[in-house]
Amino acid sequence: MDFDTAKKAVDYIFSHPDLFTEDSVSFDFIGGEPCLEMKLIDQISDYIKIKMFKCNHRWFDKYIFGFTTNGLNYNSESVQDYIRKNRKHLSITITLDGTEIKHDINRVYKNSNRGSYKDVVKNIPLWLKQFPDASTKITISSEDIPYIKESVLHVYGLGIHEVHINCVFEDVWKDGDDKLFEMQLIDLADAIIDNGLYKDFACSFFDESIGKPMDIRKNNNWCGAGRMLSIDAAGNFYPCTRFAQYSLREKNARIIGNVDKGIDSNLLRPFLTLNRRMQSKQECFDCDVASGCAWCQGENYDASETGTIYQRATAICKMHKARVRANNYYWNKLYRKLELEGEREEFEMNKKETKDIIC
């Protein structure tokens, strides 16, 4: 993206307050690799800040600049200058996929089989010093399953206290993957509980709110597509970056406008009408463990038979059910331990206080 295109995008956002009514905002810079374009990101960030100041905008002290990086250039002068300049309004995530073996399955240098783990991990201490509450995200597909337990524990060992982890939504799963997945999660649950790691560390695979029947009163869409604005290098608008052509395998991009003409409300409207009932099969509503079963709107569209956004992709179904079984194991074992050690009341009180702070 060139600066003129970015400038037009920012001008459009700030000249249409009726379309952007949120009390706060996150400007995310998505690559490729954002750290390769720090000069441009810095220039755009400065323009946004000046624009907010001149408009006396409610976002002026309620904004975040965010990006996810592969971490290779994190210690570079350009990145560190940007951090010093914007530290109070930054959210930076370094993606570390787990152990060296797990990370290097997919994250290798161009035109080489050399993995990037060793070059990334050396920047983790600096990142955690600057963002001590930072978390990382691990993504799981079929070939990654055997490394789940050791990868989460490895990340904990590096000093990262919160691991967001999820399975890909694409239909990549082989027969038996759900059983292997469940076994890995149970082994991980044993390691976390037996070693008391639950006191200081968190893994998003273990969540008390999932695995229950669906509350029929809740009919909201899982995904935020259509309620965010994604802008590509050419200045095209999308309901989510997942609808840009480079993110799709089978379907054509779903453009909803551009920096010159603005948002086309007729193209956006279908996304604003999305809800759970409209795109889910009845079996999803009747499922005993439906709560917490997620989807990606872009994958729904890409995997659909007709190019509709109203057909929910369910390739992740068996993996969700396996996660629920392991999740039940985790919480049953944890609460039994807490009961025996007389620590349950304190644990639940701390959990409530944490939830109140977040809320």
Side-chain angles (χ1 to χ4, degrees):
M1 181 180 289
D2 59 50
F3 179 66
D4 287 341
T5 300
K7 184 175 179 292
K8 286 182 180 180
V10 173
D11 288 343
Y12 177 78
I13 291 169
F14 284 99
S15 63
H16 290 79
D18 56 318
L19 297 179
F20 305 97
T21 60
E22 294 78 9
D23 291 330
S24 58
V25 66
S26 175
F27 295 96
D28 291 331
F29 299 97
I30 301 172
E33 171 49 47
C35 289
L36 294 176
E37 294 289 349
M38 291 312 303
K39 182 178 179 181
L40 174 63
I41 290 175
D42 186 39
Q43 190 177 15
I44 297 171
S45 299
D46 281 352
Y47 186 74
I48 291 171
K49 288 182 287 187
I50 291 169
K51 195 78 175 180
M52 289 189 294
F53 178 78
K54 287 184 175 180
C55 295
N56 192 26
H57 202 281
R58 64 183 178 280
W59 291 344
F60 182 68
D61 201 36
K62 296 180 180 178
Y63 69 92
I64 288 290
F65 295 137
F67 54 87
T68 298
T69 170
N70 62 27
L72 290 174
N73 294 332
Y74 186 81
N75 64 342
S76 67
E77 184 177 348
S78 60
V79 173
Q80 291 304 307
D81 284 346
Y82 181 82
I83 290 173
R84 283 189 288 269
K85 186 175 180 179
N86 297 282
R87 177 65 187 87
K88 293 182 179 179
H89 293 277
L90 276 184
S91 174
I92 300 178
T93 297
I94 292 180
T95 298
L96 188 74
D97 280 348
T99 62
E100 183 172 359
I101 293 175
K102 163 75 171 73
H103 183 91
D104 287 348
I105 288 176
N106 295 306
R107 298 183 179 273
V108 298
Y109 283 98
K110 185 178 180 180
N111 301 323
S112 168
N113 289 323
R114 184 168 71 89
S116 62
Y117 172 87
K118 290 179 180 177
D119 295 325
V120 176
V121 78
K122 68 183 181 183
N123 287 326
I124 296 297
L126 173 61
W127 173 56
L128 290 177
K129 181 180 179 181
Q130 294 170 328
F131 301 93
D133 296 325
S135 61
T136 194
K137 183 177 180 181
I138 298 174
T139 303
I140 303 299
S141 60
S142 181
E143 64 182 346
D144 301 311
I145 293 174
Y147 308 103
I148 292 175
K149 172 195 170 183
E150 61 184 34
S151 288
V152 173
L153 297 178
H154 179 73
V155 169
Y156 286 170
L158 294 174
I160 302 171
H161 285 248
E162 187 170 359
V163 176
H164 297 283
I165 187 167
N166 66 280
C167 295
V168 299
F169 293 99
E170 287 80 6
D171 189 6
V172 300
W173 307 107
K174 302 173 184 175
D175 289 343
D177 276 353
D178 53 331
K179 299 297 183 184
L180 295 173
F181 180 53
E182 182 181 354
M183 290 172 58
Q184 276 288 306
L185 292 190
I186 287 175
D187 288 345
L188 176 60
D190 286 338
I192 290 174
I193 294 170
D194 293 346
N195 294 292
L197 298 175
Y198 59 88
K199 297 177 182 178
D200 298 304
F201 297 89
C203 173
S204 63
F205 268 150
F206 303 122
D207 183 342
E208 279 190 286
S209 68
I210 74 165
K212 301 176 177 63
M214 182 54 58
D215 185 340
I216 59 174
R217 297 170 298 178
K218 295 181 179 180
N219 193 33
N220 56 296
N221 190 27
W222 179 277
C223 174
R227 303 184 186 278
M228 62 184 83
L229 183 63
S230 179
I231 308 158
D232 73 5
N236 294 311
F237 289 168
Y238 303 89
C240 167
T241 191
R242 187 63 174 78
F243 286 88
Q245 195 62 63
Y246 52 76
S247 294
L248 297 167
R249 303 181 309 278
E250 305 292 338
K251 303 297 190 296
N252 293 325
R254 293 285 293 257
I255 297 173
I256 59 169
N258 58 56
V259 294
D260 295 312
K261 296 181 179 180
I263 295 173
D264 185 328
S265 59
N266 286 325
L267 297 176
L268 176 62
R269 189 171 290 114
F271 293 91
L272 300 181
T273 64
L274 282 164
N275 59 41
R276 187 179 297 270
R277 173 63 69 180
M278 192 177 292
Q279 57 192 306
S280 302
K281 297 178 181 178
Q282 185 59 41
E283 64 186 270
C284 294
F285 274 83
D286 295 338
C287 178
D288 290 336
V289 295
S291 66
C293 186
W295 62 84
C296 165
Q297 210 67 55
E299 175 58 18
N300 288 358
Y301 168 64
D302 210 8
S304 68
E305 298 164 357
T306 63
T308 179
I309 60 172
Y310 299 108
Q311 182 178 334
R312 180 173 167 183
T314 56
I316 202 172
C317 177
K318 67 178 184 179
M319 304 304 286
H320 171 70
K321 291 177 178 177
R323 177 194 174 194
V324 168
R325 293 191 296 269
N327 189 67
N328 291 340
Y329 172 88
Y330 175 89
W331 290 104
N332 285 334
K333 176 169 181 171
L334 177 58
Y335 279 125
R336 283 200 305 272
K337 177 180 180 179
L338 293 172
E339 288 280 5
L340 289 172
E341 297 178 358
E343 296 178 355
R344 178 163 181 168
E345 184 176 344
E346 180 183 357
F347 177 81
E348 292 185 331
M349 186 179 300
N350 290 337
K351 187 170 61 173
K352 182 180 182 303
E353 289 175 354
T354 302
K355 183 177 179 181
D356 289 343
I357 291 172
I358 293 173
C359 291

